[in-house]
Amino acid sequence: MEPIILASSSPRRQEILKRMNIPFIVMPSNQEESFPADLEPHKVSEYLAEQKLQNVLKQLGTKEQEVSWILSADTTIILNGKIYGKPKDVEEAEQFLKDFQGKTHEVVTAVNLYNGTLHAHTSRTVTTKVTMAAMNQEEIDWYLGTGEWHGVAGAYRIQGLASCFIKKIEGTDSCVMGLPIFELYDMLREQNYSIIQ
């Protein structure tokens, strides 16, 4: 299998690719994660995933002819029309958890796959609904103390201790982790990239 350039430094995305036995090279996008203020919240992930892909293509420059595959993705969390990104500090992480507890929010992940042979790319966007149980202050403080909130959208990791508070999921946990496995596999299969050896 040809290695895929992963336009992300996310350990979760790397973990999913390893799980699928897909060889990859990490080449994070240095694109600032900003988007037009009037962009509809559910379109933000698509916009940012596209920006990340274009940024990595630009970084590669003239080497683009040699690029076989690039994979980019972006995940946003939405509650009542508000986007929750990565918390800047523990106080913001606490506020995120207080906002989510006892409610259902949406996790939107967009995935782009660039085929260097065809100089074309396909994209998919997946939404998963996550319902968090009501949490008391002691539970919130305990979770914040684990440090899992660092560097993740929404201040929680579904594959970690946050699963203690996930009451219901409508969709897939891989979407919440930042790389929907079924959609990725389907895109690879469409492009004749086989992971079956």
Side-chain angles (χ1 to χ4, degrees), residues 35-51:
F35 51 87
D38 61 346
L39 191 61
E40 200 275 317
H42 290 84
K43 298 289 183 186
V44 169
S45 284
E46 290 175 27
Y47 177 86
L48 292 175
E50 174 67 22
Q51 295 299 307

Side-chain angles (χ1 to χ4, degrees), residues 16 44 60 91 97 114 134 145 175 179 183:
I16 288 171
V44 169
L60 292 164
E91 286 77 22
L97 293 176
Y114 176 81
C175 169
L179 196 56
E183 285 73 17

Side-chain angles (χ1 to χ4, degrees), residues 3 14-15 28 34 40 44 46-48 81 88 93 97 125 129 177 196:
Q14 293 176 41
E15 182 186 320
S34 60
E40 200 275 317
V44 169
E46 290 175 27
Y47 177 86
L48 292 175
K88 60 180 182 293
L97 293 176
T125 302
K129 291 183 179 181
M177 286 175 68
I196 300 169

